[in-house]
Amino acid sequence: MDRRSFLTRSLALSTAALLPGRVFANDTKSRFAEALRHNPALLAYRSAAADSFDSQARLTGSVPAGLEGTLFRNGPARHEIGDFRYGHWFDGDGMLQAFRLTPDGIRHQARMIQTRKYQAEQAAGRALYPGFASVPPNPAPVTSADTVNSGNISVLPHGGNLYALWEAGSAWRMNPDTLETEGLQVFSPESQGLPFSAHPRVEPDGTLWNFGYVSAAHLIVLWHIAADGRLKNIGTVPCDPISMPHDFVVTERHIVILIPPFEYENRGGATFLDAHTWHPERPTRVMLVDKNDFSRVRWLELPAQWVFHFGNAWEDKAGVIRFDGARAIDPMVMIDSFRAIMSGAPSTPTHSRHHLYRIDTRSGSATETPMFTDSLDTEFPVIDPRVSCRHNSRLLMLSSDPHSDARDGVLNCVSLYDAAMDRLSTFRYPASVIPEEHLFVPEPGSAPESSGWIIGSSLNCATARTEFRIFDVNNLTGGPLVTAELPYALPLGLHGKFI
């Protein structure tokens, strides 16, 4: 079988894995509406009030000189259509947002991503397709992964293009000026429709690496794309049993993917999520791949765990790889909590503690060490993008205040860790505010990690407004330089990138 035929067969198997089993009743919409009356924090999971937005933010403070550009963000924003409300946060249809920073202020724009799924369901006036963990009544057939591709996780500026990313299908090309959806990205005929994950890694020279998982074929797909957007290489690695890794890391010489023991078994569950089983007694397998030869693969082991997001990885001259991640003991936040919130039900948060991982490529050992105290939860780790896949010293992340409970289990702080000084700086958000992922924006012309700004959006549940803040990266504890308020509230999103 030639490579194109092999990849086409893999795609067909991937599509088969999305087909639903039984259909279940859904009263999530009415239960959520009732819960929202008593819990304003559930604004975070209410559908956006419109398909598009455009406004000038009201500012306290001035945008710093040198900070000019656009923060593009993405995330699930339509959680219900007709009488049907999705049963999982990850099933919401994607919305692309743009926070445009200029010396004159901050303009906000947003538009629903016009995926095939979104357009078909808008025309029908009802939910048509099964999702990650939801199945509407009388679902329509799924003919490809891109039939249900909601484009709702992240964004990627690369090769002069802007993409909205999902996890199990193609990237969507987006117009950075109008936020219009231009169509599915095809890097090559043989790779069309193959999974292109939401967390690609881009090296300082623009070289891009990504992966995807094809569950029914028990394959991991690996992508290598040049700085100008040309596909340089694509390959597959057998992975049996297979899981649903969400993120990965890259060094100068290796690709590292953790395969948790949340295994695809497809025993007739109602949804794709239900087709997986958690096996805490089994190890997390570590896939170590040579970047220059995808056939050179080594397997290592770590204790059972679940990691949504890693910060960064780097490799020293002795062949020792170090990387960090927000480690949970299991995936129950995805299995249970992100289902419960869609009906407004209380849920027990799963704690994620930041760990430092070490792989010795010569001895073949893999170890992990907690980075902070047991009372500090973390998520959404990011770095100065200029040191991506290289040695970094500073790590930005959302965190919890160890002296008070986060509102409804949501992280309530933004923290910056400086490994060179072993110092953690933190800004605590007001009790009514839920922060989203924050980014490190370098000051133009500065040395890597030396100076710049921390920017991030948030939802103020007391005022029912989306907010945006700018901090000095060297004085996070001093509070925001700028606080901007939009005249509306948007649901919580997931990831963004600054251009």
Side-chain angles (χ1 to χ4, degrees):
M1 183 182 298
D2 61 32
R3 188 168 101 170
R4 181 170 184 175
S5 298
F6 179 69
L7 292 174
T8 301
R9 177 177 177 272
S10 299
L11 179 58
L13 287 169
S14 179
T15 302
L18 293 167
L19 299 177
R22 65 183 184 278
V23 177
F24 51 88
N26 182 291
D27 62 348
T28 305
K29 184 175 180 178
S30 59
R31 287 186 287 143
F32 179 81
E34 176 62 24
L36 180 60
R37 293 175 52 204
H38 307 286
N39 184 1
L42 290 175
L43 277 173
Y45 310 103
R46 185 182 67 179
S47 287
D51 284 357
S52 64
F53 298 85
D54 194 333
S55 68
Q56 196 72 19
R58 184 168 63 88
L59 266 61
T60 301
S62 301
V63 177
L67 178 56
E68 191 166 353
T70 302
L71 170 63
F72 293 100
R73 281 188 51 79
N74 191 1
R78 185 186 72 167
H79 295 296
E80 52 195 48
I81 179 170
D83 294 328
F84 183 81
R85 178 173 169 85
Y86 295 118
H88 197 285
W89 184 32
F90 291 174
D91 279 326
D93 293 282
M95 171 175 275
L96 181 65
Q97 299 184 55
F99 292 85
R100 304 191 188 277
L101 282 60
T102 72
D104 297 326
I106 300 176
R107 180 188 177 192
H108 176 263
Q109 296 171 282
R111 291 187 70 164
M112 293 299 299
I113 300 170
Q114 300 294 309
T115 65
R116 295 172 178 174
K117 171 185 179 295
Y118 182 81
Q119 291 181 323
E121 292 181 333
Q122 285 292 95
R126 73 174 186 94
L128 293 173
Y129 299 107
F132 174 71
S134 307
V135 182
N138 304 312
V142 178
T143 57
S144 73
D146 285 329
T147 302
V148 293
N149 182 342
S150 57
N152 67 356
I153 300 178
S154 189
V155 293
L156 169 68
H158 189 261
N161 295 305
L162 180 69
Y163 303 108
L165 304 181
W166 191 45
E167 185 158 294
S170 306
W172 289 95
R173 293 192 315 276
M174 309 299 297
N175 186 303
D177 299 318
T178 65
L179 306 188
E180 292 178 341
T181 306
E182 297 180 339
L184 291 167
Q185 172 64 17
V186 178
F187 289 103
S188 72
E190 66 182 1
S191 65
Q192 184 173 354
L194 285 176
F196 189 85
S197 91
H199 289 289
R201 296 285 169 170
V202 181
E203 298 192 62
D205 67 358
T207 300
L208 182 147
W209 304 86
N210 205 357
F211 78 101
Y213 53 88
V214 186
S215 302
H218 301 281
L219 292 173
I220 297 292
V221 179
L222 298 175
W223 301 79
H224 179 193
I225 297 173
D228 62 4
R230 290 178 299 107
L231 179 65
K232 297 192 70 174
N233 190 20
I234 186 169
T236 58
V237 177
C239 181
D240 190 8
I242 196 167
S243 185
M244 54 168 80
H246 181 67
D247 196 0
F248 76 133
V249 292
V250 173
T251 72
E252 289 185 88
R253 288 178 282 185
H254 289 94
I255 295 168
V256 183
I257 305 177
L258 268 61
I259 309 295
F262 187 46
E263 296 170 1
Y264 177 77
E265 297 177 348
N266 198 22
R267 295 178 176 174
T271 67
F272 181 70
L273 177 60
D274 295 325
H276 294 75
T277 304
W278 175 244
H279 294 282
E281 75 284 359
R282 299 178 185 175
T284 289
R285 292 172 296 139
V286 181
M287 178 188 292
L288 184 65
V289 184
D290 187 324
K291 285 167 57 175
N292 297 314
D293 184 353
F294 292 165
S295 69
R296 297 184 62 186
V297 182
R298 298 174 68 184
W299 290 93
L300 311 173
E301 290 186 355
L302 287 166
Q305 59 189 275
W306 179 262
V307 180
F308 272 122
H309 301 117
F310 300 101
N312 189 45
W314 60 281
E315 187 169 352
D316 65 23
K317 293 180 180 179
V320 176
I321 297 171
R322 295 173 177 84
F323 61 100
D324 67 278
R327 180 196 193 279
I329 61 171
D330 57 44
M332 294 306 147
V333 66
M334 179 174 62
I335 297 172
D336 294 332
S337 300
F338 291 160
R339 275 175 160 152
I341 58 176
M342 297 308 288
S343 63
S347 60
T348 302
T350 297
H351 298 286
S352 54
R353 315 296 197 195
H354 225 78
H355 278 60
L356 180 66
Y357 298 85
R358 184 181 186 276
I359 295 175
D360 189 325
T361 61
R362 295 182 179 180
S363 66
S365 64
T367 59
E368 58 183 16
T369 307
M371 291 180 64
F372 309 115
T373 67
D374 285 344
S375 60
L376 186 72
D377 282 357
T378 64
E379 248 303 347
F380 297 106
V382 298
I383 60 165
D384 181 337
R386 296 174 299 179
V387 294
S388 178
C389 310
R390 304 294 186 267
H391 188 187
N392 69 291
S393 295
R394 305 182 90 172
L395 178 68
L396 180 68
M397 60 205 144
L398 294 189
S399 64
S400 62
D401 182 346
H403 305 295
S404 64
D405 291 334
R407 184 187 185 94
D408 297 292
V410 179
L411 300 177
N412 53 17
C413 300
V414 57
S415 292
L416 181 68
Y417 177 64
D418 190 323
M421 303 181 69
D422 192 24
R423 182 176 65 190
L424 185 71
S425 303
T426 297
F427 172 78
R428 169 71 156 87
Y429 268 87
S432 64
V433 177
I434 302 174
E436 300 182 289
E437 177 191 65
H438 284 45
L439 298 183
F440 185 128
V441 178
E443 182 176 8
S446 65
E449 302 188 288
S450 64
S451 61
W453 303 275
I454 294 168
I455 65 172
S457 52
S458 57
L459 176 63
N460 190 322
C461 301
T463 62
R465 295 289 185 268
T466 290
E467 299 174 339
F468 183 88
R469 287 174 175 81
I470 302 171
F471 304 83
D472 184 337
V473 74
N474 291 315
N475 188 21
L476 176 60
T477 56
L481 303 171
V482 179
T483 299
E485 182 184 82
L486 304 183
Y488 38 74
L490 292 169
L492 287 186
L494 290 169
H495 300 286
K497 290 289 186 295
F498 184 81
I499 303 178

